[in-house]
Amino acid sequence: MNRMSPVVRQMGLAVVAGALMGGASLAMARPVGLYFGGASGVSVNTRSCGQYDFKAAGGACDRASMGGKWFGGYYLNPDLGAEVSYMRFGSVNRRKGAATTSPAVGDIDSADIQDSARAWTVGLNVQIEIFQSFTNHLRLGWAFTRNDTSGYERRVSAISRLTPSDPYYASAFTTTDMGKREYRGVPYFGAGMSGLLMPHVRVFSAWDFVIDGHRSKHLLSAGVQGGRRTVGGRQCGNPGRAEGACSEALPESGSPATRERGPVRGGLRPAGAGGRFNG
């Protein structure tokens, strides 16, 4: 058994080396590559309107605006990509231009405020192929948001009345500059579907949700995605899953010459197809 132990060790090392080489070859065979895209659509915020009653004269409380996103990523394997994106959620307005009847101290008398937001996100793009040319996408990651507010707000600071039988009216006001900028880090989630338009180009629709309490925002968008994927240095497939197209790019065992003409022995190829010898 002592004589056999070196042989056993060598066989074990050979098996391990073979497994490692096979794993490396399999890893090289999986499609990887860069992708990028852009989309435009509608952003919706979840903030409550409160006293900004858009039905009142001169009042407004926008909940939706135009938005969009640009993104790029790298496929780690056919089902998973690491992704960075930049989202803009547009601007929304809150206005109140009419004096409040029967005011109370602290009520908003008039205001004109504009809110805008944007975000950088980093996360994962999980792909689930449902048909040959269609793919579901699930996104999960972290958003670094910037929320900008500008404008003013005037509130009632005192009320009076001429006689005990008269209604109260606002007799004094306090005006506040609402300008501020906030940076926050919050989670985000997304879902969507893409379809193959042509090789390396897909069209998609997506929903992205930045989870940030009363600052939460939705982005509903549609756009185009492109990219290139490779297997072992070869270009292949479309920027969706495209595993089949990539597998076709894998080299077969042996060269075409070897498969057609047989092995070369001693530097000479025996007579076969073509009836010639090669030195």
Side-chain angles (χ1 to χ4, degrees):
M1 185 65 183
N2 292 334
R3 292 182 179 180
M4 294 297 295
S5 57
V7 177
V8 173
R9 285 199 299 268
Q10 291 180 5
M11 291 179 63
L13 291 173
V15 170
V16 172
L20 292 175
M21 292 177 64
S25 300
L26 182 60
M28 290 180 62
R30 304 194 77 178
V32 296
L34 296 172
Y35 65 94
F36 51 87
S40 62
V42 177
S43 67
V44 181
N45 67 74
T46 60
R47 183 193 58 242
S48 173
C49 288
Q51 294 190 46
Y52 296 94
D53 186 0
F54 64 90
K55 297 179 181 179
C61 181
D62 298 337
R63 298 292 298 275
S65 178
M66 295 298 296
K69 69 175 182 176
W70 297 264
F71 61 90
Y74 186 82
Y75 289 109
L76 304 175
N77 61 51
D79 303 309
L80 184 66
E83 187 174 283
V84 176
S85 66
Y86 174 70
M87 301 181 187
R88 289 187 64 93
F89 296 96
S91 299
V92 292
N93 296 301
R94 291 176 286 165
R95 290 189 301 273
K96 188 172 183 181
T100 304
T101 58
S102 301
V105 173
D107 283 353
I108 299 173
D109 177 73
S110 63
D112 191 351
I113 303 172
Q114 184 179 70
D115 299 299
S116 63
R118 63 196 68 185
W120 284 96
T121 69
V122 292
L124 297 176
N125 173 16
V126 181
Q127 303 185 133
I128 305 171
E129 188 175 11
I130 52 176
F131 299 108
Q132 185 174 2
S133 299
F134 292 91
T135 303
N136 279 334
H137 299 265
L138 297 176
R139 289 178 167 89
L140 183 65
W142 198 256
F144 301 91
T145 65
R146 191 183 94 178
N147 300 279
D148 295 312
T149 303
S150 61
Y152 76 93
E153 183 179 76
R154 190 171 79 158
R155 291 180 177 268
V156 176
S157 59
I159 57 176
S160 302
R161 58 182 177 178
L162 299 177
T163 66
S165 60
D166 290 334
Y168 283 98
Y169 66 92
S171 59
F173 304 91
T174 300
T175 302
T176 303
D177 183 2
M178 301 301 292
K180 64 178 178 179
R181 174 172 292 176
E182 292 180 311
Y183 293 93
R184 297 173 61 82
V186 295
Y188 91 96
F189 175 80
M193 177 179 289
S194 68
L196 184 63
L197 181 63
M198 62 181 70
H200 314 298
V201 178
R202 301 181 74 86
V203 293
F204 68 89
S205 60
W207 163 64
D208 296 284
F209 181 36
V210 175
I211 307 170
D212 192 13
H214 70 277
R215 304 178 188 85
S216 297
K217 298 169 183 65
H218 304 266
L219 178 61
L220 307 173
S221 61
V224 180
Q225 172 184 323
R228 303 288 281 185
R229 304 184 75 171
T230 60
V231 172
R234 296 170 178 259
Q235 293 181 349
C236 63
N238 61 68
R241 181 179 173 86
E243 187 173 3
C246 291
S247 62
E248 294 174 2
L250 292 174
E252 299 178 15
S253 60
S255 66
T258 303
R259 292 195 304 271
E260 293 179 4
R261 302 172 185 172
V264 177
R265 297 180 181 176
L268 298 176
R269 178 176 57 81
R276 294 181 298 172
F277 289 89
N278 290 340

